[in-house]
Amino acid sequence: MPSTEHPDPFAELQADCGRCRALCCVGPAFARSADFAVDKPAGQPCRHLRGDARCGIHTELRQRGFPGCVAYDCFGAGQHVVQVTFGGREREAAMFGVLPVVRALHELLWYLAEVRERTAAGPVHGAAREA
């Protein structure tokens, strides 16, 4: 989890796709919809995922029918799961179960950091820091 001493509380809560082994492109299932052009079962790599764990259509996601990929934010959970929880190991099935839990925690940490950044929220800064 992000340290409380970090000068930028958001730094560790931003996705670094180059360090996460493309967990969000493999783990979750998605269904053909307005957000995804195709069905993809859970645990199966997206058909556009290249061998280097990068998206082959990243610059064309919206135009190719994948706005859900553009909208998704892991809040830094992907690289945390791979680099911290699993010590930098290669992608493995256990990571897929951990990712949504860490993502939810990182999203909450983002909101708490946001509260601490807002002057008007001064009366609850202490509670946000404690949480």
Side-chain angles (χ1 to χ4, degrees):
M1 293 292 135
S3 71
T4 56
E5 303 301 318
H6 199 286
D8 178 1
F10 299 101
E12 295 179 49
L13 300 174
Q14 294 179 29
D16 181 350
C17 299
R19 299 181 61 227
C20 80
R21 309 272 193 267
L23 295 183
C24 65
C25 301
V26 179
F30 52 77
R32 181 185 299 239
S33 64
D35 289 326
F36 301 103
V38 297
D39 292 327
K40 185 194 86 61
Q44 183 177 86
C46 173
R47 66 174 64 173
H48 300 293
L49 186 63
R50 298 184 323 209
D52 64 356
R54 298 298 225 172
C55 178
I57 63 166
H58 184 74
T59 60
E60 305 169 7
L61 284 167
R62 283 190 195 281
Q63 300 92 308
R64 302 275 298 267
F66 292 88
C69 296
V70 176
Y72 180 77
D73 187 344
C74 77
F75 295 95
Q79 71 261 19
H80 185 90
V81 168
V82 170
Q83 302 300 326
V84 178
T85 308
F86 286 85
R89 294 196 310 253
E90 291 302 315
R91 184 174 54 229
E92 58 187 80
M95 293 175 179
F96 304 136
V98 176
L99 179 64
V101 175
V102 175
R103 186 202 174 276
L105 291 171
H106 276 210
E107 184 175 5
L108 289 172
L109 288 170
W110 181 280
Y111 295 137
L112 290 168
E114 181 70 26
V115 164
R116 294 191 316 266
E117 293 288 312
R118 301 203 176 247
T119 306
V124 296
H125 282 177
R129 194 172 9 271
E130 194 174 307

